[in-house]
């Protein structure tokens, strides 16, 4: 480049949006599959507002989330629909994580198939998605706490789904 040529290389700011939600637990307030799915429009609206805000500042958003059945998968699906890059942060290897999905339950088996598709997307050559295994002990339940802390530490913004149940 010559001194009179404007620099066409620009670095766009990226805001990492962390997500935390609920797994389905029938009979618990706000945790039915239907209640979680009912959050879809609200999540879309929040992600679209964050995209617009980032664009107003010349940047983009990217989602960082675990991949649990329920709200995590919903948020990742909405982000995917909106073209938002996703960074998966798993508490253990995908093979170990598969045990968190009850293959005897058709809904859970379908959720695992969706989770696997998202994991595979991170390996696609043209993908801007990533997947990492959180560092630390992979023993349940502590590994989920460690994973969430790592996601939170990386984030600029936190979006949650909350059932308003204090317990």
């Amino acid at each position: 480049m010559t001194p009179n040529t404007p620099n066409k290389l620009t670095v766009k700011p990226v805001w990492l949006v962390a997500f935390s939600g609920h797994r389905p637990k029938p009979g618990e307030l706000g945790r039915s599959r239907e209640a979680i799915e009912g959050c879809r429009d609200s999540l879309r609206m929040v992600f679209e507002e964050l995209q617009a805000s980032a664009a107003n500042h010349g940047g983009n958003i990217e989602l960082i989330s675990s991949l649990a059945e329920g709200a995590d998968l919903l948020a990742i699906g909405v982000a995917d629909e909106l073209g938002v890059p996703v960074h998966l942060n798993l508490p253990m290897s995908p093979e170990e994580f598969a045990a968190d999905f009850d293959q005897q339950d058709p809904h859970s088996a379908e959720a695992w198939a969706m989770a696997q598709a998202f994991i595979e997307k991170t390996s696609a050559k043209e993908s801007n998605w990533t997947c990492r295994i959180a560092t630390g002990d992979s023993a349940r339940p502590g590994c989920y706490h460690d994973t969430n802390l790592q996601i939170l530490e990386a984030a600029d913004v936190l979006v949650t789904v909350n059932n308003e149940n204090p317990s």
Side-chain angles (χ1 to χ4, degrees):
M1 271 189 263
T2 63
N4 294 331
T5 304
N7 184 351
K8 293 189 181 205
L9 297 175
T10 57
V11 176
K12 289 186 172 190
V14 174
W15 285 271
L16 284 178
V17 177
F19 181 80
S20 180
H22 291 305
R23 292 180 187 210
K25 288 189 180 177
E28 278 196 35
L29 176 66
R31 288 201 170 195
S32 69
R33 286 183 171 85
E34 295 78 20
I36 291 170
E37 181 61 34
C39 297
R40 178 179 294 279
D41 291 342
S42 295
L43 278 172
R44 176 178 286 283
M45 183 183 70
V46 168
F47 289 168
E48 286 174 340
E49 287 178 7
L50 289 168
Q51 277 183 307
S53 181
N56 286 340
H57 291 90
N60 300 306
I61 65 167
E62 297 184 4
L63 182 68
I64 183 169
S65 178
S66 188
L67 193 58
E69 180 178 357
D72 288 3
L73 282 173
L74 176 64
I76 292 165
V78 170
D80 189 28
E81 291 167 9
L82 295 173
V84 173
V86 176
H87 305 286
L88 302 175
N89 199 1
L90 302 181
M92 59 197 70
S93 73
E95 296 76 24
E96 293 174 284
F97 193 59
D100 286 0
F101 295 80
D102 179 2
Q103 296 303 312
Q104 304 308 311
D105 175 2
H107 294 287
S108 192
E110 182 181 336
W112 175 240
M114 182 185 302
Q116 284 181 300
F118 288 143
I119 292 169
E120 288 172 13
K121 186 168 182 169
T122 67
S123 299
K125 196 173 198 176
E126 66 282 349
S127 175
N128 54 359
W129 286 37
T130 65
C131 182
R132 74 180 288 275
I133 309 303
T135 59
D137 187 4
S138 65
R140 292 170 174 89
C143 62
Y144 303 108
H145 178 72
D146 292 343
T147 300
N148 287 335
L149 287 176
Q150 290 174 36
I151 289 171
L152 188 56
E153 287 175 6
D156 298 300
V157 177
L158 174 63
V159 175
T160 67
V161 169
N162 185 336
N163 65 1
E164 298 182 14
N165 184 352
S167 60

